[in-house]
Every structure is written in structure tokens, then in C-alpha cells.
């Protein structure tokens, strides 16, 4: 049976692993289940000479409670990311609607400007036609008066 010693609060505490890999407090304080489990995990990983499994944060989980906290943290992070993505999509939709409104207004303004320009051209054309008709009429009168 391997053993270790440590000091806790001025007292010497001795503990070790027995044949069934159960931690026995030989002298001193009582160990919690969490501490016992961590000691078992660390002794197993040393014996197996393998690296402990890594969580998605890149660190080895120290206990099921720590693993649960890490999972809650990751779930929270995921929900925040999903919410941000949803908000982004909503804002993009609002921006698209605003762009469509602006494009429609620009088309209407361009159409109105074009109609105004066309009306001005028609008016100018009508004025020129009337002037031309008046000139023709004046020339006829001059021709008629010369002939007389």
C-alpha cells in the first residue's frame, strides 16, 4: 500500500491507496467524495501513462461538477451566439427593408423628374411649332402683299 503525508492545519495527515483503490484516512481529517474521486483519477492516469481527457476548453476536468459547470458555460455561450446570430439576421432584414424603401423612393423621384423633363420638352416643342406656324403665316402675308 503506497502512502503519502501532508500537513493540514498543523496536523499531519497520512493516507494511501489499498488493494481496491479506495482511499483510507489513516490519521487526521476525513476526505470528501470529490477529493477521493480526484485522487483516484490522478492515480489512474499516472498508472495508465495516458493524458487525461480534455474538455472543449482545453483543460482536464477536475470533477463531474467542474465538467457540469463547463458544459453549462458552453451551453450559455452557444445560446448567446445563437441569440446574436438571430439579432444580426433581424437587423439585416431591417436594413434590407430600408434599402428597398430608399430604392423605391429614388425610382419615384427619378420617374417624377423624367416626367417633368418630358412635359418641359413637349411644352418647348409646342412653342416652337407655334412660332414656326406663326413665321410661316407671316411669310405668306408678306408674299401675298408683295404679289398685290
Amino acid at each position: 500500500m503506497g502512502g503519502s503525508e501532508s500537513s493540514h492545519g498543523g496536523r499531519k495527515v497520512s493516507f494511501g491507496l489499498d488493494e481496491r483503490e479506495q482511499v483510507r484516512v489513516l490519521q487526521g481529517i476525513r476526505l470528501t467524495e470529490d477529493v477521493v474521486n480526484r485522487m483516484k483519477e490522478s492515480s489512474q492516469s499516472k498508472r495508465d501513462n495516458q493524458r487525461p481527457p480534455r474538455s472543449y476548453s482545453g483543460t482536464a476536468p477536475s470533477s463531474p461538477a467542474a465538467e457540469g459547470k463547463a458544459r453549462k458555460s458552453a451551453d450559455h455561450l452557444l445560446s448567446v451566439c445563437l441569440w446574436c446570430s438571430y439579432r444580426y439576421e433581424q437587423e439585416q432584414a431591417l436594413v434590407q427593408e430600408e434599402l428597398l424603401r430608399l430604392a423605391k423612393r429614388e425610382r419615384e423621384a427619378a420617374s417624377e423628374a423624367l416626367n417633368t423633363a418630358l412635359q418641359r420638352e413637349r411644352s418647348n416643342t409646342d412653342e416652337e411649332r407655334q412660332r414656326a406656324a406663326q413665321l410661316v403665316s407671316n411669310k405668306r402675308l408678306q408674299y401675298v402683299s408683295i404679289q398685290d
Side-chain angles (χ1 to χ4, degrees), residues 44-64:
Q44 272 184 331
S45 65
K46 286 178 187 174
R47 196 175 325 108
D48 294 342
N49 235 354
Q50 293 178 345
R51 290 171 44 158
R54 299 278 178 198
S55 68
Y56 35 83
S57 65
T59 60
S62 59
S63 68

Side-chain angles (χ1 to χ4, degrees), residues 123-142:
S123 176
N124 289 342
T125 303
D126 286 346
E127 287 175 11
E128 286 178 18
R129 199 175 293 137
Q130 286 174 358
R131 271 189 252 130
Q134 187 66 35
L135 283 173
V136 168
S137 177
N138 287 344
K139 291 292 178 185
R140 278 191 193 145
L141 287 175
Q142 284 177 353

Side-chain angles (χ1 to χ4, degrees), residues 105-120:
R105 260 190 252 148
E106 285 180 9
R107 276 194 307 268
E108 289 171 352
S111 177
E112 189 175 316
L114 181 63
N115 286 337
T116 302
L118 284 174
Q119 286 176 351
R120 195 176 311 127

Side-chain angles (χ1 to χ4, degrees), residues 31-115:
L31 301 175
T32 64
E33 285 296 314
D34 188 35
V35 173
V36 170
N37 289 334
R38 279 191 285 164
M39 291 173 72
K40 283 181 182 179
E41 287 174 10
S42 68
S43 68
Q44 272 184 331
S45 65
K46 286 178 187 174
R47 196 175 325 108
D48 294 342
N49 235 354
Q50 293 178 345
R51 290 171 44 158
R54 299 278 178 198
S55 68
Y56 35 83
S57 65
T59 60
S62 59
S63 68
E67 202 171 288
K69 282 183 182 179
R71 181 168 300 280
K72 271 187 186 177
S73 178
D75 289 345
H76 176 71
L77 183 61
L78 178 62
S79 65
V80 167
C81 288
L82 289 173
W83 182 83
C84 287
S85 174
Y86 172 74
R87 286 290 297 153
Y88 175 78
E89 288 175 6
Q90 279 185 328
E91 288 176 11
Q92 287 294 83
L94 291 173
V95 167
Q96 289 295 325
E97 287 177 20
E98 186 64 23
L99 287 173
L100 287 172
R101 263 187 255 124
L102 288 172
K104 183 179 177 184
R105 260 190 252 148
E106 285 180 9
R107 276 194 307 268
E108 289 171 352
S111 177
E112 189 175 316
L114 181 63
N115 286 337

